[in-house]
Amino acid sequence: MVVLSESVRFFAVHDDGYFDERVAARYDESSADMFDPAMLDPVVDFLAQLAGDGRALELGIGTGRVALPLAQRGVPVHGIDLSQSMVAKLREKSGAEAIDVTIGDFATTTVEGTFSVAYLVFNTIGNLTTQAAQVACFRNVAEHLEPGGCFVIELHVPELQRLPPGETMRVFHASPTHWGIDEFDIANQGLTSHHFELVDGRFELLSIPFRYVWPAELDLMAQLAGMRLRERWSGWKREPFTSESTKHVSVWEKPPT
Ligand SMILES: C[S@@+](CC[C@H](N)C(=O)[O-])C[C@H]1O[C@@H](n2cnc3c(N)ncnc32)[C@H](O)[C@@H]1O
C-alpha cells in the first residue's frame, strides 16, 4: 500500500489482479444494486433459457452473484476467475459447493467438458486491456462451447458521446462516500476507472484499467472465433438495442455442426 496523502490511499495490484482481498471484502455491499432480485432475476432467466439442459461457464465468476442463483435453477455452473479472494467470498456462501471454479485468466484458461452457454457480464470483457487478449477470450470460449452453444456478453456502450472534445475525464458516480471518474485514452481505446471511496473516514483510491470496445468490434472477434451474432438487446428483458442504448446484452452462437 502507498500512502498518497493524509486522506487518500492507493493500493497496489497483486496476484488477485484488481479484485484483491480488500475489494473482495466489500464487493457485494458496494455492488448491492446489482444483487437486487429485480435486476438479477432477468439475467438468470435469460441465461437459464440458453443453458437448457446443458452446462454454463461463467468467465469472471467473482463472488457468485449470477452463478449461485443460476445453479439454484438446476443449471450446472463452472466458473473461471483469477482472484482467489473473490472466489473465497463465493465459497463462504450457501450453495457454492455445487459450483466448480478454476483459478486462471479467462482469456486462456481451459476447463474440462463443453458448455451450452458461456457468459461474461458486468463489463468484465473490458478487464482484458488489449485487443489480442479479447480476441483470445472469444477463441477460448468458442473452444468450450458445444455446437449451437452461445456466448453472452453484457457491456456498456463506450460513452464517448458524453465526452466534450479535448477532455479526458468523466464523472460517472458522485455521492458523499464514493466518487467515480472515468479517464479516457482515446488513441489507445483505453479507459481507467478511478474510484475514490470513503473507508473509515479516509478516501481510498482504486484505479482499474479497461479496454473499451464497440459492439461491431466484438462481432468481428466472434467471427474470428467461428461464431456469429444471434441476438443483441439493450437489457436482459430483451429491450431493443438502439442508438440511445447505453449498454448491450449480446449473444453469439457457435454454428451447429
Ligand atoms: C466486476 S467483477 C464481476 C463478478 C461477477 N461476474 C458479477 O457479475 O458479479 C469481475 C470479476 O472478473 C475477474 N477477472 C477480471 N479479469 C479477469 C481475467 N482476465 N481472468 C479471470 N478473471 C478475471 C475479477 O477477478 C472479478 O472477480
Side-chain angles (χ1 to χ4, degrees):
M1 181 182 78
V2 180
V3 178
L4 291 183
S5 75
E6 274 303 299
S7 57
V8 178
R9 284 174 283 182
F10 170 78
F11 285 82
V13 179
H14 61 59
D15 288 344
D16 279 344
Y18 291 91
F19 292 80
D20 62 9
E21 215 176 312
R22 182 185 67 108
V23 173
R26 294 212 307 271
Y27 180 83
D28 288 13
E29 190 190 336
S30 62
S31 312
D33 53 331
M34 298 295 282
F35 285 80
D36 182 341
M39 166 78 79
L40 203 46
D41 288 352
V43 182
V44 176
D45 290 344
F46 193 103
L47 295 172
Q49 194 185 346
L50 286 177
D53 296 331
R55 303 165 68 215
L57 177 65
E58 177 162 6
L59 310 184
I61 190 170
T63 65
R65 182 181 69 89
V66 177
L68 280 166
L70 187 59
Q72 277 154 14
R73 292 274 186 97
V75 178
V77 181
H78 193 119
I80 300 177
D81 205 294
L82 55 73
S83 168
Q84 308 243 21
S85 299
M86 291 290 275
V87 174
K89 287 288 161 196
L90 161 64
R91 289 282 169 239
E92 290 172 4
K93 297 179 184 175
S94 154
E97 60 286 353
I99 297 173
D100 292 322
V101 179
T102 304
I103 298 295
D105 181 344
F106 54 59
T108 50
T109 299
T110 57
V111 306
E112 292 253 322
T114 56
F115 298 84
S116 52
V117 65
Y119 60 96
L120 181 48
V121 296
F122 206 173
N123 304 313
T124 303
I125 182 79
N127 285 135
L128 298 173
T129 54
T130 66
Q131 187 186 55
Q134 292 178 349
V135 168
C137 176
F138 271 78
R139 289 200 163 116
N140 194 26
V141 165
E143 279 165 22
H144 284 87
L145 288 178
E146 297 165 357
C150 290
F151 182 30
V152 182
I153 279 187
E154 174 191 38
L155 183 63
H156 278 309
V157 174
E159 293 191 301
L160 293 189
Q161 279 183 322
R162 296 180 179 276
L163 201 64
E167 303 219 350
T168 56
M169 304 278 189
R170 175 175 141 66
V171 175
F172 63 87
H173 188 90
S175 75
T177 55
H178 176 206
W179 279 79
I181 301 170
D182 276 342
E183 180 177 8
F184 288 84
D185 171 8
I186 294 171
N188 295 302
Q189 225 166 290
L191 168 69
T192 302
S193 287
H194 303 285
H195 295 267
F196 294 85
E197 276 192 80
L198 192 61
V199 180
D200 301 332
R202 285 155 60 114
F203 274 98
E204 290 180 358
L205 169 62
L206 176 69
S207 297
I208 305 181
F210 293 88
R211 178 177 189 267
Y212 66 82
V213 54
W214 301 92
E217 190 183 355
L218 295 175
D219 292 343
L220 194 56
M221 292 181 190
Q223 193 183 319
L224 290 172
M227 297 187 281
R228 60 189 174 209
L229 183 66
R230 175 173 136 157
E231 305 168 46
R232 172 160 293 133
W233 309 101
S234 71
W236 293 100
K237 295 180 189 161
R238 294 189 163 79
E239 299 90 338
F241 181 73
T242 70
S243 304
E244 277 72 50
S245 298
T246 56
K247 65 176 262 186
H248 61 104
V249 174
S250 296
V251 183
W252 298 273
E253 185 181 50
K254 180 168 171 172
T257 45

